[in-house]
Amino acid sequence: MRIAGRQVGEGRGGERTIAVQNPYTGEQIGTVPKATLEEVREAFEIAHGYQAKLTRSERAGILQKTAALVRERLDDIASLITAEAGLCRKDAIYEAGRVSDVLLFGATEVLKDDGQIFSCDLTPHGKKRRVYTQRSPLLGVISAITPFNHPMNQVAHKVVPSVATNNRMVLKPSEKVPFSAIFFADLLYQAGLPPEMLSVVTGDPREIADELLTNPHVDLITFTGGVAIGKYIASKAGYRRVVLELGGNDPIIVMEDADLDEASTLAVQGSYKNSGQRCTAVKRMLVQESVAGKFTDLVVDKTRAWKHGDPADASVDMGTVIDEPAAQLFESRVNEAVAQGARLLVGNQRRGALYAPTVLDNVSPAMTVAREETFGPVSPIIRFRDIDEAIRISNGTAYGLSSAVCTNRLDYITRFINELHVGTVNVREVPGYRLELTPFGGIKDSGLGYKEGVQEAMKSFTNLKTYSLPWV
Ligand code: NAD
């Protein structure tokens, strides 16, 4: 791990390390140390004691240089992501490209000053003064915790806005995929980031998570991961800012006027890219009953054509899921749905952590596979009569992250935008569509409504100060 740029824990043996395995081959690709509480405290102490003084130009330079390094090392980064997460080469290359985008957006956003000016003579009792705003970094340290599903891009979405706003961050990546985070931190140090501005601690969350949430130097906690841990963090954080990006159960809604070829392509891509492990993956396919037969046939054909297997094979469309227990969970949810009357059309075969893309028809919204977040390549198809029912089913889970709607009717589109209880509505696109720059995040159990995306994260990582001056 890296405490203010220093390599810590190398050579630590046995019980005090975490082994990371390639989910496809089962081979151990390396070990990372389990940080002690003292080490985590030291990381916060160093970060707190340091005041970053980088100019906007210097910050932009570091981010641009890191982006160039990411592009130079694209192949190595993709291989690392594939090795520790089992994501296929295509997914890994795509993720590395997204990381470069996050850096480039950070480098351009940092050049903008979004300060505002308010004249005060706006009402009869106003004065000849002006109120101005300016942003400053947090007084304390940002504590960041990331999930396994995008090993480097989730990390970039925390670290880049932190660097861009001159903050100091202590990051704990998922213990399942720690190497991508360490690699990313090393690129930033190499590009000239003052090491005090970023530490990466690895370890067992049962030992160190509470310290990451309650250390007195922590001003803000930014967390991406599952709902259960997100709510635990909310209960533990106390008087601190908390940004939570949690799970999703996103629908693609296909109306009777939709282009079914396009809709089925979006449905399949949204469901299986990144092995179905995206917070915004298509997790439910809601289709109007008059076109359900044709849509389902197309989804089945395109699912059969989705090649899964050895993640290192560049021709494969999908590698493994994160580990065998995850694959077993999908298998058991699908079996449960079939026992309750759903029809398995393709898939549900498993070998270790390799799980075939799976289509289930006749699914009812109450079945676990559709009600809970099934974080893998499973496509449950649910039929509905009309738009009222589509909206009711879509809103009927605890989640509210994103959605896709396939229709050209403006009356439908307007209703979906107004009535779906989600953070995003994408018309004729997958639910996950966005730029790394644009506001992103959910409501209900998917988050508290604070957005991420480079621009919004930079806002939430700063304190807004107002000052006023006489104006004559
Ligand atoms: P997870 O919640 O199991 O783990 C996330 C992180 O929390 C890991 O780093 C883990 O070590 C840490 N952690 C474990 N116990 C903790 C504790 N008590 N306190 C603090 N941190 C603790 O999630 P995961 O399985 O790695 O990721 C999958 C989940 O992440 C899915 O639910 C997915 O939808 C969600 N996700 C959400 C978004 C989003 O932007 N909304 C993006 C990606 C993933």
Side-chain angles (χ1 to χ4, degrees), residues 145-149 154 172-176 205 209 213 223-226 229 232-233 245-248 279 373 375 401 440 446:
I145 303 175
T146 49
F148 72 78
N149 61 312
Q154 295 294 356
K172 194 206 76 64
S174 167
E175 60 280 15
K176 294 174 183 166
L213 308 177
F223 171 80
T224 301
I229 295 173
Y232 173 79
I233 291 173
E245 299 293 339
L246 308 182
C279 51
E373 178 184 45
F375 205 58
L401 192 54
F440 167 79
S446 298

Side-chain angles (χ1 to χ4, degrees), residues 402-448:
S402 190
S403 60
V405 299
C406 295
T407 176
N408 280 321
R409 278 182 51 172
L410 193 56
D411 56 341
Y412 283 165
I413 292 171
T414 330
R415 282 199 62 189
F416 285 129
I417 292 173
N418 288 327
E419 295 178 42
L420 290 180
H421 299 158
V422 289
T424 299
V425 178
N426 282 327
V427 180
R428 296 178 54 191
E429 246 308 343
V430 292
Y433 183 78
R434 59 166 168 149
L435 297 182
E436 311 303 319
L437 176 67
T438 51
F440 167 79
I443 55 173
K444 296 165 70 183
D445 273 3
S446 298
L448 294 171

Side-chain angles (χ1 to χ4, degrees), residues 153-164:
N153 197 38
Q154 295 294 356
V155 166
H157 267 285
K158 308 292 184 203
V159 175
V160 170
S162 173
V163 172

Side-chain angles (χ1 to χ4, degrees), residues 66-362:
T66 312
L69 289 171
V70 166
R71 286 193 300 277
E72 255 170 49
R73 307 285 304 270
L74 210 69
D75 233 44
D76 297 334
I77 291 173
S79 300
L80 180 55
I81 291 174
T82 293
E84 68 177 353
L87 295 172
C88 71
R89 184 91 192 148
K90 286 182 191 171
D91 287 335
I93 295 264
Y94 180 63
E95 173 158 350
R98 291 183 67 191
V99 171
S100 161
D101 285 357
V102 176
L103 286 156
L104 290 176
F105 284 128
T108 50
E109 283 304 292
V110 71
L111 300 179
K112 297 181 192 162
D113 190 331
D114 70 352
Q116 290 179 287
I117 304 172
F118 300 83
S119 296
C120 298
D121 60 346
L122 305 183
T123 60
H125 58 274
K127 283 186 174 179
K128 281 237 167 222
R129 292 186 71 78
R130 279 190 176 130
V131 173
Y132 301 77
T133 68
Q134 74 177 27
R135 290 186 183 276
S136 38
L138 305 178
L139 294 176
V141 181
I142 299 174
S143 185
I145 303 175
T146 49
F148 72 78
N149 61 312
H150 285 297
M152 197 177 284
N153 197 38
Q154 295 294 356
V155 166
H157 267 285
K158 308 292 184 203
V159 175
V160 170
S162 173
V163 172
T165 49
N166 252 346
N167 276 292
R168 293 89 73 223
M169 175 172 275
V170 175
L171 168 83
K172 194 206 76 64
S174 167
E175 60 280 15
K176 294 174 183 166
V177 292
F179 289 112
S180 298
I182 293 171
F183 193 100
F184 186 66
D186 284 346
L187 294 184
L188 278 157
Y189 301 138
Q190 193 186 331
L193 183 76
E196 296 86 349
M197 287 174 72
L198 177 65
S199 286
V200 180
V201 295
T202 53
D204 183 341
R206 286 167 301 186
E207 292 177 3
I208 59 171
D210 282 358
E211 187 64 30
L212 286 151
L213 308 177
T214 59
N215 184 288
H217 295 318
V218 175
D219 240 9
L220 181 148
I221 301 162
T222 174
F223 171 80
T224 301
V227 175
I229 295 173
K231 289 190 174 175
Y232 173 79
I233 291 173
S235 73
K236 205 73 191 162
Y239 190 67
R240 288 187 175 82
R241 213 175 300 173
V242 182
V243 180
L244 300 172
E245 299 293 339
L246 308 182
N249 196 349
D250 294 354
I252 184 167
I253 303 176
V254 182
M255 299 306 290
E256 64 281 356
D257 71 303
D259 172 339
L260 295 182
D261 189 39
E262 177 186 84
S264 56
T265 297
L266 293 173
V268 162
Q269 288 177 347
S271 201
Y272 307 140
K273 277 211 170 151
N274 221 56
S275 301
Q277 303 166 128
R278 298 186 70 181
C279 51
T280 52
V282 168
K283 302 203 177 94
R284 296 176 291 158
M285 297 181 180
L286 275 47
V287 53
Q288 204 280 330
E289 58 192 10
S290 70
V291 294
K294 174 121 190 277
F295 173 79
T296 305
D297 288 347
L298 287 166
V299 167
V300 168
D301 288 349
K302 289 173 188 182
T303 300
R304 287 192 205 282
W306 202 266
K307 192 173 160 197
H308 72 289
D310 181 355
D313 175 346
S315 73
V316 155
D317 301 311
M318 196 177 92
T320 67
V321 296
I322 189 65
D323 51 24
E324 186 166 2
Q328 284 166 335
L329 177 70
F330 311 143
E331 201 179 21
S332 74
R333 282 196 182 166
V334 169
N335 290 340
E336 181 191 288
V338 170
Q340 292 169 348
R343 214 149 52 94
L344 176 65
L345 299 181
V346 57
N348 201 32
Q349 287 128 4
R350 186 182 67 77
R351 184 158 52 83
L354 197 63
Y355 182 76
T358 297
V359 183
L360 272 178
D361 196 6
N362 288 344

